[in-house]
Amino acid sequence: MSFRNRIAVGVLAIATVISVAACGNGTPSSSSSSSSSNSSSSSSSSSSAVQSDSAGKAGTHLAGTPVAIIKASDTLQWAPAAVTVKVGQIVEFTNPASNSITHNVTIANHTALSTTSQGLYPGAHWFVEFTTPGKYPFACTIHPGMDGTITVTAS
């Protein structure tokens, strides 16, 4: 192998190492979970455990079709920022794959319904089904000011 070829191989190896190291903002492994009874992964991991509390249940997969879809944006907004659903209906939070920013979903006073231990990565979805009427403020705690409200009415 000529000196020029060895240099080219060395440069390619260094570039590969740098590009792999720069990928640290990717989807986390599915080995972490937020509690013994659930996984709050909002990435595309294989885990689909459902979390629940007195207000409802949440997870990366819930049976049923969402009636409201709330999208995160790279401009640090939820669209729409306010929705109204009935008890038993599903709300989907999504961070479109075309986005470049990771968000999270934190529903005030309801950690089990939130993605607190994992991010809402580009391309990820988080589903919440409320079982109790009320107003539920939500936010992306990574980006202050990125908040909204879900109003749940009796069915």
Side-chain angles (χ1 to χ4, degrees):
M1 182 183 289
S2 73
F3 178 72
R4 182 175 274 171
N5 286 345
R6 283 185 276 186
I7 295 287
V9 169
V11 168
L12 181 60
I14 291 170
T16 301
V17 168
I18 291 171
S19 67
V20 169
C23 289
N25 196 22
T27 303
S29 70
S30 61
S31 62
S32 64
S33 64
S34 63
S35 76
S36 61
S37 66
N38 60 54
S39 170
S40 62
S41 173
S42 60
S43 68
S44 58
S45 71
S46 60
S47 175
S48 62
V50 174
Q51 306 173 176
S52 63
D53 73 3
S54 62
K57 60 185 176 181
T60 56
H61 297 90
L62 290 180
T65 303
V67 298
I69 299 173
I70 301 171
K71 293 182 182 179
S73 75
D74 278 351
T75 58
L76 309 183
Q77 298 176 19
W78 295 107
V83 298
T84 299
V85 298
K86 294 179 181 178
V87 166
Q89 293 182 321
I90 298 172
V91 175
E92 175 185 355
F93 290 89
T94 184
N95 190 1
S98 60
N99 285 353
S100 60
I101 298 175
T102 297
H103 299 284
N104 67 20
V105 176
T106 303
I107 298 177
N109 303 313
H110 295 283
T111 304
L113 303 182
S114 305
T115 63
T116 53
S117 69
Q118 304 277 332
L120 186 67
Y121 295 89
H125 305 270
W126 185 250
F127 301 91
V128 181
E129 179 181 336
F130 292 93
T131 56
T132 305
K135 286 195 180 276
Y136 297 90
F138 64 90
C140 171
T141 58
I142 300 169
H143 304 107
M146 187 176 173
D147 50 20
T149 303
I150 299 169
T151 301
V152 180
T153 62
S155 49

